[in-house]
Amino acid sequence: ASIERDFQNSFPTLYKGNNMQVDQTNKFDLSENIRALFGWNFQYLEDQTAENNHQFTIFDPYLSVIYDLASGFNLHLGARLNTHSDYDNSMLYTINPSWSIDLNQGWIVKPFASFSNSYNTPSLYQINNELYGNASLSPEKTDNYELGISVYVREKFTLNAALFQRIEDSAIDFRSLFNPDGSFAGGEYFNLVDSREVQGLELDGSYSLGQIQVEGHYSKLATNNDESFARIPKLKYGMSVAYAHPSDLH
């Protein structure tokens, strides 16, 4: 796929770029219980703005294996090698075990876990923008951990609960800059020097009663540096109720 975008605004400022992506995926059945997926993704990203012409190429080969047993046990293993024209290569992984346990009488309990990492390189905009860009930016590196359980009751009630932790190194943030007299001087993207961590609890559930569907969610976070997570709410919750008319009323 190839995407060309031309953004204009009233300042006036013109941003122009090109994005080409190619992806190939192959699926294999290795046995009755094991499936594999292998492929690669190629991206060519170009900033065509007059003063900032620059380009990236990214090539990612990846492999995913799924082990699925009739007993309800499932294990997903994934690996991806991120190769970047301007930054160091990085090996990424994901490990997702789960076990669906049928307790009879319509009750199913499913404990699950997730372990993964991520590697996010700066965008061309973050590097080249004439007002905010920073050519010295480094990639973000993140480790993710999650442990939880899902409960399903007679296809009417679902409850999901999970504890999670995310550890970020060299996280990219934005800060405003000011002159000595306090007037605004612009801003810049930058890497945080210290690691930052966030951990918390997430709950969500749904209940179906005829044509009525009730859903709710709740999450609570804690961090090792509240200032660096100032834009992320520590507590979120909500509920919705939906009603669907019976088909014979349409």
Side-chain angles (χ1 to χ4, degrees):
S2 181
I3 302 174
E4 293 188 7
R5 295 176 176 174
D6 192 343
F7 297 99
Q8 300 186 44
N9 57 37
S10 58
F11 284 99
T13 303
L14 175 67
Y15 299 103
K16 192 174 182 181
N18 185 48
N19 181 349
M20 181 181 71
Q21 298 192 41
V22 180
D23 190 272
Q24 180 179 359
T25 302
N26 303 282
K27 297 180 180 179
F28 304 94
D29 289 327
L30 302 180
S31 72
E32 182 180 355
N33 304 112
I34 302 177
R35 291 169 289 146
L37 183 148
F38 170 77
W40 53 267
N41 174 267
F42 173 82
Q43 297 184 62
Y44 174 79
L45 309 171
E46 182 180 13
D47 183 351
Q48 297 176 330
T49 307
E51 299 83 8
N52 302 323
N53 189 269
H54 192 78
Q55 56 278 328
F56 287 157
T57 57
I58 304 172
F59 179 70
D60 290 357
Y62 55 86
L63 172 66
S64 182
V65 178
I66 300 173
Y67 181 55
D68 199 357
L69 293 179
S71 64
F73 179 77
N74 178 278
L75 178 62
H76 173 216
L77 303 174
R80 175 185 291 262
L81 177 61
N82 181 280
T83 63
H84 197 289
S85 59
D86 285 36
Y87 295 98
D88 293 337
N89 300 338
S90 181
M91 176 62 73
L92 308 177
Y93 73 91
T94 180
I95 304 173
N96 297 320
S98 65
W99 187 16
S100 183
I101 306 171
D102 190 344
L103 302 179
N104 297 321
Q105 304 300 319
W107 284 70
I108 297 176
V109 175
K110 182 180 179 182
F112 61 87
S114 177
F115 312 93
S116 66
N117 66 343
S118 61
Y119 180 76
N120 300 315
T121 55
S123 68
L124 287 169
Y125 179 86
Q126 292 172 327
I127 293 174
N128 294 331
N129 183 270
E130 63 274 12
L131 297 177
Y132 313 120
N134 182 352
S136 299
L137 287 175
S138 300
E140 298 177 320
K141 299 178 181 179
T142 306
D143 293 312
N144 306 286
Y145 309 97
E146 184 178 22
L147 182 65
I149 190 169
S150 297
V151 179
Y152 309 95
V153 183
R154 299 185 182 90
E155 299 184 351
K156 290 186 175 183
F157 175 75
T158 299
L159 176 65
N160 302 302
L163 297 171
F164 67 90
Q165 181 183 38
R166 186 173 72 248
I167 304 172
E168 301 176 354
D169 289 309
S170 300
I172 297 176
D173 206 343
F174 182 86
R175 61 189 168 197
S176 298
L177 302 176
F178 299 90
N179 294 314
D181 62 0
S183 59
F184 181 69
E188 68 173 355
Y189 290 98
F190 71 104
N191 289 106
L192 296 177
V193 176
D194 298 324
S195 296
R196 65 179 188 179
E197 300 180 18
V198 58
Q199 51 273 328
L201 166 69
E202 291 184 335
L203 299 170
D204 68 82
S206 65
Y207 180 71
S208 297
L209 181 62
Q211 282 74 48
I212 300 176
Q213 178 82 10
V214 181
E215 297 182 351
H217 63 88
Y218 172 90
S219 66
K220 185 174 178 59
L221 308 178
T223 76
N224 69 331
N225 187 339
D226 291 344
E227 184 178 347
S228 67
F229 288 98
R231 299 182 181 90
I232 302 177
K234 286 188 175 182
L235 181 65
K236 294 189 295 183
Y237 55 88
M239 188 179 74
S240 65
V241 179
Y243 175 77
H245 288 284
S247 58
D248 58 356
L249 296 181
H250 289 282

